[in-house]
Amino acid sequence: MEKQNLILAFESSCDETSVAVVADGHKILSNVIATQINSHKRFGGVVPEVASRHHIEQITICIADALAEAHVGYDDLDAVAVTYGPGLVGALLVGVSAAKTVAYAHHLPLIPVNHMAGHIYAARFVKPFEFPLMALLVSGGHTELVYMQADGQFEIIGETRDDAAGEAYDKIGRVLGVPYPAGKVIDEMAHQGQDTFKFPRAMMDEDNFDFSFSGLKSAFINTVHHADQIGETLDKNDLAASFQASVVDVLTAKTMRVLEQYPVKQLVLAGGVAANHGLRERLQAELPVKFPNTELILAPLKLCGDNGAMIGAAGYIQYQQQKFGDASLNADPSLEFDWMPNMVH
């Protein structure tokens, strides 16, 4: 039996502490996730200082659990991968420090991974990538269309100019009285309601591939406040359905338009909002009709949120390409796609 390349992967960019052991970039031997949702719920969003403290408390426990669950020791590992951005700087630093320590102590190469690349590579656990491919990356902080001509090559074709889709979900969740994180509950409510409010579809017909969700968020909030002022009760499920219809319409329309200009073999849906059933259903319905030769790969539901396994999958590509970091690796909270510092070839 051929030796597997085992990567210990760290993810701590926001409010999930996760450590995973991934074999050959596509087999999950363990994927331990310590979530902090209950700690942040009462604040209606992630508090960076609280998040960082939780990461410090959890990280060594997660390492031990990940190695035990995978039935491996440090001597079995081939490399250590870690998210170094984008994300909350204090949270990122915990993962980066832990990964650097393990790599240094056990003489292992260190692989700095872009968090957004990790989200895309979550889909690699479904099947191998075929290039060129397009990724629709929809998360709390990012909404992007990313074109890939090869492994590890990312070109942003379109992105949000203001709120990301996930951010808009959380903001309107507060108005609806839905606890943080609001996306899953709003998705469930949307399936019970109708699109009766016809909220705006911003930039849907503009000749570009960018997104904007702040106008939708404002229209939603204004509708609810106006109803409150005149003592009118609005159907919350209809509000949720109308909001989601706008988001899904825009995301789908832009994605279909980008595929006309960039013919690809695969379309990958990834990121936290990729767990949204409304969006998944729409892409599954429309893509085969409009682009029968483009295969849709949906990131597995359990890997749409932040997790170490996706970092291991993205890290494996860099491992093969010998793109390693060194002791000077630092957290980069506003990391962009095209920039790889501290790389030693």
Side-chain angles (χ1 to χ4, degrees):
M1 192 175 132
E2 250 183 81
K3 183 188 180 315
Q4 294 181 321
N5 289 125
L6 299 186
I7 293 179
L8 183 71
F10 290 81
E11 158 56 42
S12 70
S13 65
C14 191
D15 61 342
E16 252 86 32
T17 315
S18 182
V19 182
V21 178
V22 175
D24 295 337
H26 64 92
K27 289 196 285 274
I28 299 174
L29 303 188
S30 63
N31 190 25
V32 175
I33 304 170
T35 183
Q36 312 172 2
I37 285 173
N38 287 336
S39 296
H40 298 287
K41 239 180 200 164
R42 63 183 184 276
F43 304 112
V46 178
V47 181
E49 174 67 19
V50 174
S52 304
R53 288 175 188 221
H54 275 295
H55 288 307
I56 291 167
E57 289 166 7
Q58 294 292 338
I59 196 113
T60 51
I61 302 166
C62 288
I63 296 170
D65 288 352
L67 291 171
E69 202 178 299
H71 303 294
V72 299
Y74 288 112
D75 293 347
D76 302 309
L77 301 173
D78 293 283
V80 178
V82 61
T83 299
Y84 73 109
L88 302 170
V89 67
L92 288 163
L93 278 168
V94 179
V96 169
S97 303
K100 287 207 292 195
T101 305
V102 171
Y104 178 77
H106 300 281
H107 309 289
L108 293 165
L110 177 69
I111 306 167
V113 177
N114 182 314
H115 177 72
M116 306 317 292
H119 274 304
I120 293 174
Y121 275 90
R124 177 61 189 82
F125 292 108
V126 177
K127 62 186 322 182
F129 285 171
E130 290 175 40
F131 301 100
L133 71 75
M134 186 69 70
L136 172 60
L137 196 50
V138 214
S139 70
H142 295 259
T143 302
E144 298 169 339
L145 284 161
V146 184
Y147 182 62
M148 294 178 66
Q149 284 179 298
D151 269 321
Q153 286 184 18
F154 308 97
E155 186 188 342
I156 294 181
I157 306 297
E159 60 190 328
T160 182
R161 295 186 182 176
D162 40 57
D163 288 16
E167 208 175 342
Y169 269 93
D170 285 332
K171 285 176 178 171
I172 69 127
R174 287 176 211 170
V175 179
L176 281 177
V178 174
Y180 170 88
K184 188 167 185 258
V185 181
I186 291 171
D187 186 18
E188 287 163 5
M189 290 166 69
H191 279 77
Q192 319 279 317
Q194 303 294 321
D195 175 15
T196 54
F197 291 95
K198 303 292 178 217
F199 289 127
R201 270 68 168 158
M203 298 176 67
M204 191 158 85
D205 302 318
E206 282 186 29
D207 192 20
N208 59 48
F209 304 118
D210 287 344
F211 304 95
S212 167
F213 294 106
S214 84
L216 165 63
K217 176 196 70 185
S218 301
F220 183 96
I221 292 169
N222 292 341
T223 300
V224 174
H225 283 172
H226 178 68
D228 286 346
Q229 283 164 347
I230 60 172
E232 190 184 343
T233 305
L234 303 178
D235 185 300
K236 286 188 173 184
N237 290 342
D238 286 350
L239 280 167
S242 303
F243 171 82
Q244 180 149 305
S246 172
V247 173
V248 170
D249 279 357
V250 172
L251 289 173
T252 307
K254 290 275 181 169
T255 302
M256 295 304 147
R257 190 176 315 144
V258 86
L259 295 180
E260 283 165 20
Q261 231 167 293
Y262 292 83
V264 293
K265 293 180 182 169
Q266 293 175 328
L267 172 66
V268 167
L269 176 64
V273 183
N276 182 285
H277 290 287
L279 181 56
R280 288 169 97 93
E281 287 157 12
R282 178 75 68 83
L283 288 175
Q284 282 170 317
E286 274 195 36
L287 189 70
V289 176
K290 292 185 175 162
F291 299 95
N293 298 324
T294 299
E295 180 184 26
L296 179 62
I297 307 183
L298 303 172
L301 280 171
K302 65 177 187 295
L303 299 180
C304 285
D306 296 346
N307 66 88
M310 69 184 195
I311 304 304
Y316 179 68
I317 300 303
Q318 286 173 228
Y319 177 76
Q320 289 179 304
Q321 296 171 348
Q322 302 279 293
K323 289 183 178 172
F324 301 131
D326 57 27
S328 69
L329 181 71
N330 204 349
D332 185 347
S334 49
L335 179 68
E336 300 277 337
F337 249 129
D338 47 14
W339 199 59
M340 289 296 198
N342 302 326
M343 287 300 171
V344 188
H345 285 277

